[in-house]
Amino acid sequence: MPTLPIPMPTDLSILLTVMDFVGVFVFGLSGGTLAVRKQLDLFGVMVLSLAAALAGGVVRDLLIGSLPPASVLDDRYLLVALAAGLAAFLFHKPINRLGKPVMVLDAAGLGLFTVAGCSKALSYGLSPLPAALLGVMTACGGGAMRDLLVAEVPRVLREEIYAMAALLGAVVVIAGRQLDLPPVPVAVVGALAAFLLRVVSVQRNWSAPRAPGS
């Protein structure tokens, strides 16, 4: 039997829904852009876009008992992801002129999905630690699936700061909940924190700790 969520304030619910859809679009763009770079055809672009946009959210919903998953229950998720793939297919040249488009889009999706995933997990009654882990999984799952489909080591497993950036966003959300701070500003700050740490870590070549002597 599906688990019933704890009702959220209306303004937070609206913000998280918007974050979810924007996250789907930017992750879909990142998947589609990578597919174009790998010279995949239109079908391949759409598959990579769908995988990047929806995989993390599907895993999250299955684990917390939100069934059917949001992307299956609401056609808008699929439509937004497909629109992102089509946009990447048609407009990949101007997107690529932005410089490191996949990384920037990925960082944006990372922040948005972390906050939405962690907040949804908390609303289903999870304690802070599993909620933080589900926020990270929501943010990293789609990107990992995207990378695996083109035979790349997922970014979450590389030396770059990736999962740690998502974890920072989740910690901000949980800290705000524990301190009873206004949830909407907390959600925005959490998404920005994850995004900025990810982008700055790439620009400055920061990396997660590695095993001594490796």
Side-chain angles (χ1 to χ4, degrees):
M1 189 176 208
T3 305
L4 295 177
I6 300 168
M8 295 183 189
T10 302
D11 53 353
L12 178 62
S13 179
I14 293 172
L15 176 64
L16 293 177
T17 300
V18 171
M19 282 186 164
D20 233 5
F21 282 121
V22 175
V24 165
F25 187 79
V26 295
F27 259 136
L29 270 182
S30 77
T33 304
L34 181 61
V36 171
R37 183 185 300 170
K38 295 291 185 178
Q39 299 183 328
L40 303 186
D41 62 13
L42 177 59
F43 180 76
V45 171
M46 291 302 183
V47 168
L48 227 60
S49 181
L50 287 170
L54 303 178
V58 168
V59 173
R60 173 203 65 204
D61 288 351
L62 290 174
L63 289 175
I64 65 176
S66 177
L67 302 172
S71 57
V72 176
L73 191 62
D74 189 340
D75 288 347
R76 292 177 297 174
Y77 284 91
L78 290 170
L79 292 173
V80 170
L82 290 171
L86 186 60
F89 185 79
L90 295 175
F91 306 113
H92 59 92
K93 288 184 179 179
I95 292 172
N96 283 322
R97 292 194 195 104
L98 298 174
K100 294 188 177 179
V102 173
M103 186 277 291
V104 174
L105 292 169
D106 201 58
L110 189 78
L112 294 166
F113 270 8
T114 296
V115 170
C118 183
S119 298
K120 187 168 184 177
L122 289 170
S123 78
Y124 273 75
L126 271 67
S127 58
L129 181 57
L133 293 177
L134 275 178
V136 173
M137 183 179 296
T138 305
C140 299
M145 179 65 71
R146 173 200 64 206
D147 294 342
L148 288 171
L149 286 173
V150 293
E152 288 188 0
V153 177
R155 284 176 170 79
V156 68
L157 301 179
R158 300 181 197 172
E159 69 276 5
E160 298 172 351
I161 303 292
Y162 193 84
M164 290 176 66
L167 185 59
L168 173 62
V171 167
V172 170
V173 171
I174 290 168
R177 176 72 67 94
Q178 297 293 322
L179 296 171
D180 201 25
L181 297 176
V184 171
V186 167
V188 173
V189 170
L192 283 173
F195 171 77
L196 290 174
L197 178 56
R198 170 66 181 147
V199 171
V200 171
S201 71
V202 172
Q203 291 177 338
R204 296 180 177 270
N205 293 318
W206 292 346
S207 62
R210 302 180 68 180
S214 64

